Amino acid sequence: MKTLQQLLNDFGFEHLPFTDAEREFAQDFVNFRSDFFQSVCQQKADKPQQDLALGLFTHAIQQVLDEFQATQSKISEMDTLFKQHVGEQHAKKFHTLNELEVKAIAMIWFLCQGFNSIDFSYANDHATEICQQLAANDSNRAESIRQKFMQSYYLGVDQAHSMKPKTSLLLTLQNAVKSIFK
């Protein structure tokens, strides 16, 4: 049985487009959830670990989004205060920890979705929804976040494809000939 970190590394975790702060948070989150993940894997030994990882991060993203939405009005008030007191340009430099958590966990979640071959349109719809919540009235920023989310998704897709056993044309022909003569 693989650890959560080993499994995520198989998915492409080390290549996710995190900022330094997001990477630190993501690593701490993975370390914190590792024992729980091992417990779930033992309880549900009949389920593939990659499915359990997807479930873990689906639950995690739902939790952090709920927390983010609950504090959204206060965050908006704080943004207004920053704009009034330090100006628009400097106010854009301030971000809440909630936003960092949502971004980091979402990137891992999209990575898991890609690795598990979850439908592109499902992933893209969620990426759009989450980035609109994070960048409420800034469409350029929202698109930039959505692109990072989808980059994470495609990283998972690519990793899943690279781990599938390769079949050559010769092997395919050999198997076809064998099946004819059986």
Side-chain angles (χ1 to χ4, degrees), residues 10-152:
D10 288 349
F11 292 4
F13 178 81
E14 296 168 329
H15 304 291
L16 286 171
F18 290 128
T19 64
D20 290 340
E22 290 165 350
R23 183 166 301 284
E24 182 179 345
F25 173 82
Q27 191 61 62
D28 289 346
F29 183 84
V30 169
N31 291 341
F32 177 72
R33 300 302 287 176
S34 289
D35 288 341
F36 175 74
F37 180 72
Q38 289 301 321
S39 172
V40 169
C41 289
Q42 289 171 353
Q43 292 172 10
K44 299 184 181 215
D46 59 322
K47 304 274 186 202
Q49 277 190 298
Q50 67 191 49
D51 291 353
L52 298 175
L54 177 62
L56 174 75
F57 284 97
T58 300
H59 182 262
I61 193 65
Q62 289 171 343
Q63 277 188 312
V64 296
L65 280 173
D66 287 347
E67 291 168 13
F68 182 80
Q69 290 167 345
T71 60
Q72 189 62 29
S73 64
K74 293 295 181 191
I75 292 169
S76 183
E77 289 175 22
M78 186 176 69
D79 285 344
T80 302
L81 281 174
F82 281 144
K83 287 176 186 173
Q84 290 172 350
H85 293 287
V86 298
E88 182 93 26
Q89 183 180 6
H90 294 295
K92 289 182 179 181
K93 296 176 186 175
F94 295 98
H95 300 285
T96 65
L97 185 57
N98 291 34
E99 182 178 325
L100 180 136
E101 291 173 356
V102 170
K103 285 182 187 175
I105 292 174
M107 280 192 269
I108 301 170
W109 183 50
F110 287 113
L111 177 77
C112 292
Q113 286 183 45
F115 193 87
N116 281 286
S117 302
I118 299 299
D119 184 64
F120 165 82
S121 61
Y122 176 85
N124 189 52
D125 288 348
H126 280 280
T128 301
E129 179 184 320
I130 294 169
C131 72
Q132 287 173 347
Q133 290 176 32
L134 292 173
N137 296 319
D138 186 345
S139 61
N140 290 334
R141 186 165 169 262
E143 180 57 21
S144 173
I145 295 168
R146 190 194 69 77
Q147 288 174 359
K148 282 178 81 171
F149 290 163
M150 295 314 295
Q151 182 181 355
S152 302

